[in-house]
Amino acid sequence: MPNQNLEAVFTREVHNKYLVFNTLFSRLPYDKMAKIGSLMPFLYDNAKQGFEEGKYPKEIIDAFFEKFTVFTTEKEKIDLLFRLITYVERQVVLFDSVEDAAFEKLTPADSPGTLKAILALARQNNKLEEVREKLRNFKVRVVFTAHPTQFYPNSVLRIIQDLEQYIQVNDISTIDQLLQQLGKTPFFNDEQPTPVQEAQSIIFYLRHVYYEVLSQIQETVTTEFFDGEEIAPVIELGFWPGGDRDGNPFVTADITRKVAQELRSNILKCYYNHFKSIRRRFTFKGVIPLLDKINNKLYTNMFGLNNDLSYNALLSRLEEVREVMVTQHGSMFIEELDRFILRVKLFGLHFATLDIRQDSSIHEKVMQAVNEKFKVSDTPYPEWTHEEKIEFLTASTIEVWEDDFTDPLVRDTFRTIRAMKEIQGHNGEKACNRYIISNSTSACSVLEVLAMFRFCGYRDAEASVDIIPLFETIEGLDTAKNSMEELYNNLAYRRHLNIRRNTQTIMLGFSDGTKDGGYIKANWEIFRAKEQLTQVSEENEVSVIFFDGRGGPPARGGGKTHQFYASQGPTIANNEIQVTIQGQTITSMYGSRPQARFNFEQLLSAGVLNDVFGDQKAIITPEERVLIEELAETGGEKYLELKNHPLFVPYLENKSPLKYYGQTNIGSRPTKRSSGGKLKLTDLRAIPFVGAWSQLKQNIPGFYGLGTAIESMVHQGREEEVRYLYNNSLYFKTLIQNSMMSLSKTYFALTSYMREDPEYGELWNIMNEEYEKSVKYMLEISNQKTLMETEVVGSLSVNYREQIVLPLLAIQQYGLQKIEETDDEELKHIYQKMVTRSLFGNINASRNSA
């Protein structure tokens, strides 16, 4: 669709509808709320003008009270500010709902990257058979994580879904009622959710969105591309809540079992409800008794009354029904039964694969506990040589039981190993067959996990688990190739790989890489690591699969995800696409059936396009490689200067809302890996790190260093080289476009009052200078007049959202200033609560900012 048409559709379906429905906010059931709507434009204008003039937030808010209200007491002003926060929160919800309701009108069914478009392209280029071959051997795995970036509680998410439905049909009366319901619905949790509650929140989408969407996609692939021939699932689901214990003390072996049971119960509920339509149609002699047996098994198992239904048994009984229908009843309604059987083959009894994840440092502690218990050596395990560790990890025949140890963490680690086997026994192997090791540093990180399985009594053939190293720091990425080469040549690990079909999954983490080395350096290091790992895997005849830990924002690997995969090129293995999806990204990109289908298809088509249609711009030439390397080094050095600045962490801790993330009660795990003591960057999780920069509207991790890197080329007279690189390298263009999204959500004017700060002014000016430099040079090399100029809908959406939350940002900054200057502890607590409350609307409006 041409840009002019897109803008017209956006204006009609989003802008105009939002303005109309926004008038309903005057009727929200809050005391004195009717005046809020009329005050909001004045606060926005006051904030916009004040920030551009470099005024302090306190000046802006005080001037607003003086000009537009009659309030004079502190209590009255605080009360109004909290009501303004409430109002903006709900404005964001309305805009989300209006924009999501317009999704199908803004995104045609034959848009590039959809299955319909791929089919047309294959026929046009006479490559249908090549596409078929790729689809037979390729799949996408989307893994839903428990990372806390979803600031909407479940009750609000349900209202958003209902609003979206009624906005599509312009049902003003129901929309009005839903907005009134929204007005009385809290936007925050009184208590921190448990890991099981986190799991249940995401399982909601599995039941109500993905059960249907993935089935539809599979049916489309088999009918449109394969003329009805059955093929393996092209999309699979993964699941981290209840399995990801990295830094989360609340995830235990018992929690893992409970979540696995939740997944089993919920897929059986889907089957039970779906099976009603089968029973309604198959009312024939000889079939009803078979259906009754299946129905009874589904019922008793979904409520946990029995646990005696297996995947193979369910499939066998369904095939028995099918045989009777074909031989005795002329295959009547057989398509409905086949659709049901397809879903059973897609989801089994596990729904989504529950991944286990733990940090390598915990495994090292476990090995030290084993060393002490069994008196292996007087030398502590961490002090052993690499060779001594390898020998012990591959040759030791120790057998352990969790009760052998007193340390709760060590005991639970071994309990988790045994729980995986139990879960596989109940729900099938796919239910829990992956163990991910955060912060993998060497071959020992992987062999420690393999040894733990052996210590728990698993024989080689029983270890039906993929052991997945996660390389995430710059150092880890640099050593990844050597680590994997050593593993491939280790006889014990090679035996394990043979059992696992000589397939090795390797996870690469964008979040900590960006925090460690900066935006362009981390992205390039990950690209190079993938190339090296592809090469070493091919040399050792291992099929390698890359699993990308990608968050919502570009600073954490998000942004244009499908374009990222299409830009990988032929030097990187393309056997599968595996990617994490979290929090806001789940709701904003996969929260409704149309959105979910579109974005699942985008991922699937990216893998097909990469191999079959081979865009020349995805190939990085030697000359382009040299240039990207130089840009990455220069940008990385610039970021390291900032990261090593003595005030870098104190600035985040004292001038941003970082410390208030933990008070939002949106996730079960702490905001940093270690408790107590001075805040260290290495302990700080990537989500609050990136989110704090987003709250400041500085978004440092999403662009810092790029401006300096491009400027250095311009000063060398090489501007045309960079411009050519942007126009001819899909990889580099994607990097720049994702960074432009970060820059579009950056607004240094918000904190311009800090430029004169006696302690942090110098640091603020350094960052602001790099921001201005990045905008200037990115526009120059892309030949654009404004950021995201070529992305009409995305740009309009970002601009709208930024306008909605500017008053909220002003209130947040005001709250932070009042906390600094207030000695009254009770008053300080109120302003701290104000800052915490303001996090919700700001994060929700940005959608992919944490």
Side-chain angles (χ1 to χ4, degrees):
M1 190 183 296
N3 286 346
Q4 299 91 328
N5 292 349
L6 278 173
E7 188 168 355
V9 173
F10 188 93
T11 300
R12 183 180 70 246
E13 298 296 331
V14 181
H15 170 81
N16 293 344
K17 284 189 176 182
Y18 173 71
L19 291 180
V20 171
F21 298 141
N22 197 32
T23 61
L24 298 176
F25 270 81
S26 63
R27 299 177 59 190
L28 284 178
Y30 273 85
D31 183 37
K32 303 176 186 175
M33 186 61 80
K35 296 181 181 179
I36 297 294
S38 59
L39 285 175
M40 194 58 70
F42 295 116
L43 179 55
Y44 171 82
D45 291 338
N46 216 47
K48 184 72 173 175
Q49 183 179 342
F51 285 131
E52 296 297 342
E53 293 173 358
K55 289 184 178 178
Y56 279 61
K58 190 170 177 296
E59 291 180 84
I60 292 170
I61 298 297
D62 286 346
F64 165 74
F65 279 118
E66 186 178 338
K67 290 180 188 177
F68 304 108
T69 77
V70 295
F71 298 141
T72 56
T73 69
E74 190 97 354
K75 183 181 182 305
E76 287 176 321
K77 292 178 180 179
I78 287 171
D79 180 58
L80 178 60
L81 290 174
F82 271 105
R83 285 188 283 122
L84 287 165
I85 291 172
T86 298
Y87 187 85
V88 176
E89 284 174 341
R90 283 146 181 82
Q91 278 189 306
V92 172
V93 169
L94 177 60
F95 189 82
D96 280 347
S97 303
V98 171
E99 189 174 35
D100 290 347
F103 180 82
E104 290 181 276
K105 292 178 181 176
L106 288 165
T107 314
D110 58 351
S111 297
T114 58
L115 285 175
K116 191 171 182 179
I118 290 292
L119 185 62
L121 190 63
R123 287 172 174 162
Q124 182 182 336
N125 291 276
N126 198 28
K127 289 193 171 185
L128 186 55
E129 191 51 49
E130 291 178 60
V131 170
R132 285 175 179 152
E133 188 60 28
K134 181 63 182 176
L135 288 171
R136 281 193 183 97
N137 301 287
F138 180 80
K139 65 183 174 186
V140 169
R141 179 187 293 256
V142 175
V143 180
F144 300 99
T145 78
H147 292 166
T149 65
Q150 178 48 264
F151 278 61
Y152 288 137
N154 289 342
S155 54
V156 174
L157 289 173
R158 307 300 179 263
I159 296 172
I160 291 174
Q161 288 189 325
D162 292 340
L163 272 171
E164 179 184 334
Q165 175 186 344
Y166 289 103
I167 287 170
Q168 285 177 332
V169 294
N170 295 320
D171 186 339
I172 301 294
S173 176
T174 306
I175 293 167
D176 186 27
Q177 288 182 322
L178 288 169
L179 289 175
Q180 291 188 53
Q181 178 191 357
L182 190 67
K184 284 184 172 290
T185 303
F187 266 48
F188 50 91
N189 300 315
D190 291 328
E191 296 180 353
Q192 197 172 17
T194 67
V196 174
Q197 288 170 331
E198 285 179 326
Q200 289 167 337
S201 295
I202 298 177
I203 289 172
F204 173 87
Y205 292 101
L206 267 63
R207 279 191 66 184
H208 299 286
V209 179
Y210 312 137
Y211 179 74
E212 285 299 327
V213 168
L214 265 61
S215 306
Q216 291 168 3
I217 291 174
Q218 189 73 20
E219 286 175 13
T220 299
V221 169
T222 54
T223 56
E224 298 295 329
F225 289 86
F226 291 92
D227 298 322
E229 174 193 341
E230 184 178 322
I231 64 165
V234 293
I235 299 177
E236 294 181 340
L237 301 178
F239 205 79
W240 276 18
D244 179 10
R245 58 241 309 124
D246 177 13
N248 191 338
F250 305 110
V251 177
T252 64
D254 287 339
I255 291 293
T256 299
R257 290 188 184 93
K258 287 178 182 176
V259 171
Q261 183 59 42
E262 283 286 323
L263 286 164
R264 175 186 169 95
S265 295
N266 276 277
I267 189 56
L268 288 172
K269 287 175 184 176
C270 288
Y271 293 158
Y272 183 77
N273 289 327
H274 188 173
F275 201 64
K276 290 176 183 176
S277 65
I278 304 295
R279 299 182 75 198
R280 189 180 183 89
R281 291 286 171 263
F282 289 29
T283 54
F284 312 118
K285 185 178 180 180
V287 176
I288 293 176
L290 299 176
L291 296 182
D292 286 343
K293 287 180 181 178
I294 295 172
N295 191 67
N296 291 338
K297 283 287 185 183
L298 291 174
Y299 182 83
T300 57
N301 277 261
M302 75 178 176
F303 289 117
L305 302 175
N306 289 322
N307 203 9
D308 59 354
L309 179 64
S310 70
Y311 167 74
N312 288 333
L314 176 58
L315 206 56
S316 176
R317 293 189 178 203
L318 289 168
E319 293 292 353
E320 185 180 358
V321 172
R322 193 181 194 282
E323 177 69 18
V324 173
M325 290 301 300
V326 170
T327 58
Q328 298 181 25
H329 302 289
S331 299
M332 189 177 293
F333 301 125
I334 201 70
E335 294 83 5
E336 288 194 33
L337 180 61
D338 285 343
R339 286 195 185 95
F340 185 79
I341 291 172
L342 170 66
R343 283 159 172 75
V344 173
K345 290 181 177 178
L346 282 177
F347 302 111
L349 296 187
H350 63 283
F351 218 157
T353 298
L354 181 59
D355 289 350
I356 305 299
R357 184 172 78 128
Q358 183 58 284
D359 192 272
S360 62
S361 62
I362 302 301
H363 301 146
E364 191 173 64
K365 290 178 182 177
V366 170
M367 288 304 152
Q368 172 56 17
V370 171
N371 177 36
E372 290 175 356
K373 175 67 180 176
F374 294 95
K375 298 180 173 56
V376 180
S377 171
D378 293 333
T379 305
Y381 176 79
E383 297 175 18
W384 292 8
T385 66
H386 183 74
E387 290 72 22
E388 288 172 335
K389 288 181 179 179
I390 296 293
E391 174 65 23
F392 171 70
L393 295 172
T394 56
S396 175
T397 57
I398 288 171
E399 186 171 349
V400 303
W401 294 94
E402 50 266 32
D403 292 338
D404 292 339
F405 304 93
T406 57
D407 187 326
L409 188 56
V410 175
R411 293 168 70 137
D412 193 71
T413 300
F414 286 120
R415 282 194 182 119
T416 300
I417 298 288
R418 290 195 162 89
M420 293 180 73
K421 191 171 185 179
E422 291 174 29
I423 292 167
Q424 288 186 357
H426 291 310
N427 301 354
E429 186 209 304
K430 286 185 177 181
C432 192
N433 65 354
R434 288 156 47 106
Y435 197 117
I436 300 159
I437 310 150
S438 301
N439 285 308
S440 291
T441 55
S442 71
C444 291
S445 299
V446 173
L447 293 176
E448 283 164 358
V449 174
L450 186 63
M452 288 193 299
F453 278 92
R454 193 172 66 255
F455 293 168
C456 286
Y458 283 75
R459 299 187 182 278
D460 285 346
E462 295 175 332
S464 52
V465 175
D466 295 325
I467 302 175
I468 304 173
L470 165 52
F471 301 108
E472 45 195 332
T473 63
I474 298 298
E475 181 184 358
L477 291 167
D478 285 342
T479 59
K481 178 186 176 183
N482 292 338
S483 297
M484 295 313 302
E485 188 162 32
E486 182 177 357
L487 284 169
Y488 292 154
N489 287 286
N490 181 283
L491 292 178
Y493 192 69
R494 195 69 200 212
R495 283 198 302 273
H496 173 72
L497 275 183
N498 288 339
I499 295 166
R500 303 305 293 165
R501 302 171 297 282
N502 278 318
T503 300
Q504 174 67 55
T505 302
I506 300 173
M507 188 173 181
L508 300 155
F510 282 79
S511 299
D512 285 289
T514 306
K515 188 181 77 171
D516 191 34
Y519 177 75
I520 187 169
K521 175 74 171 175
N523 274 277
W524 183 240
E525 287 297 320
I526 288 169
F527 187 91
R528 289 177 61 241
K530 282 186 175 181
E531 288 187 319
Q532 294 168 359
L533 291 166
T534 297
Q535 182 183 0
V536 73
S537 299
E538 287 177 352
E539 290 171 354
N540 286 275
E541 299 181 336
V542 173
S543 177
V544 67
I545 295 168
F546 294 117
F547 177 20
D548 292 306
R550 299 170 65 81
R556 300 189 58 238
K560 299 176 176 300
T561 304
H562 64 280
Q563 190 169 308
F564 163 83
Y565 285 110
S567 73
Q568 297 280 279
T571 56
I572 292 175
N574 184 34
N575 300 311
E576 284 187 28
I577 286 177
Q578 296 193 7
V579 61
T580 58
I581 302 293
Q582 66 186 36
Q584 291 169 299
T585 312
I586 296 174
T587 55
S588 65
M589 295 181 66
Y590 297 85
S592 68
R593 290 181 184 180
Q595 288 173 312
R597 176 156 187 172
F598 176 80
N599 285 297
F600 279 130
E601 287 189 13
Q602 290 289 309
L603 288 174
L604 187 60
S605 67
V608 175
L609 285 168
N610 202 329
D611 271 10
V612 178
F613 297 98
D615 189 341
Q616 285 298 113
K617 291 185 178 182
I619 299 173
I620 299 178
T621 67
E623 295 78 16
E624 290 169 348
R625 184 176 294 272
V626 170
L627 183 55
I628 296 173
E629 187 78 42
E630 290 183 54
L631 289 165
E633 286 304 312
T634 305
E637 287 170 10
K638 180 67 176 176
Y639 175 78
L640 286 179
E641 284 179 19
L642 180 69
K643 191 179 88 166
N644 294 330
H645 193 290
L647 293 178
F648 183 69
V649 174
Y651 176 84
L652 264 186
E653 192 171 17
N654 298 316
K655 304 301 283 187
S656 84
L658 174 68
K659 65 183 73 172
Y660 302 102
Y661 263 77
Q663 298 174 23
T664 56
N665 289 333
I666 61 163
S668 70
R669 70 181 190 175
T671 56
K672 60 177 187 170
R673 285 186 169 90
S674 63
S675 58
K678 184 179 178 182
L679 178 65
K680 294 186 292 186
L681 188 60
T682 51
D683 289 336
L684 185 59
R685 290 192 177 280
I687 289 169
F689 174 74
V690 172
W693 289 115
S694 171
Q695 292 286 316
L696 285 170
K697 288 297 167 186
Q698 293 176 354
N699 287 323
I700 293 298
F703 72 86
Y704 199 88
L706 261 174
T708 292
I710 300 172
E711 181 187 56
S712 70
M713 295 297 158
V714 173
H715 287 173
Q716 296 174 43
R718 301 169 65 187
E719 183 175 354
E720 286 305 316
E721 289 183 50
V722 185
R723 185 174 283 114
Y724 179 87
L725 182 67
Y726 174 83
N727 289 320
N728 291 277
S729 168
L730 187 56
Y731 170 78
F732 185 69
K733 187 171 192 173
T734 303
L735 277 186
I736 296 296
Q737 288 183 332
N738 278 339
S739 191
M740 280 184 174
M741 184 187 295
S742 291
L743 290 168
S744 295
K745 298 177 181 180
T746 299
Y747 184 61
F748 265 83
L750 176 72
T751 52
S752 60
Y753 69 93
M754 293 185 193
R755 68 168 76 243
E756 304 298 334
D757 188 281
E759 187 173 6
Y760 297 105
E762 178 198 358
L763 184 63
W764 186 94
N765 281 290
I766 289 171
M767 294 186 293
N768 181 54
E769 181 185 348
E770 183 64 18
Y771 160 72
E772 292 176 348
K773 199 179 289 184
S774 297
V775 172
K776 173 186 174 182
Y777 287 112
M778 282 193 217
L779 291 178
E780 281 189 17
I781 66 163
S782 65
N783 198 31
Q784 296 182 48
K785 294 183 178 63
T786 58
L787 295 169
M788 297 180 69
E789 183 181 310
T790 59
E791 302 165 59
V792 175
V793 173
S795 178
L796 288 168
S797 178
V798 167
N799 290 337
Y800 236 108
R801 291 170 178 279
E802 295 300 295
Q803 288 177 37
I804 291 171
V805 296
L806 184 61
L808 196 56
L809 291 164
I811 294 171
Q812 184 183 84
Q813 288 293 315
Y814 173 79
L816 288 168
Q817 276 199 290
K818 294 291 281 187
I819 291 167
E820 283 187 2
E821 68 178 37
T822 302
D823 294 324
D824 185 321
E825 288 302 318
E826 185 178 346
L827 205 53
K828 183 175 287 191
H829 176 72
I830 292 172
Y831 283 114
Q832 288 171 342
K833 184 179 177 182
M834 184 182 292
V835 171
T836 303
R837 278 292 308 278
S838 65
L839 286 167
F840 292 78
N842 290 332
I843 287 287
N844 290 334
S846 294
R847 283 208 153 176
N848 68 340
S849 59

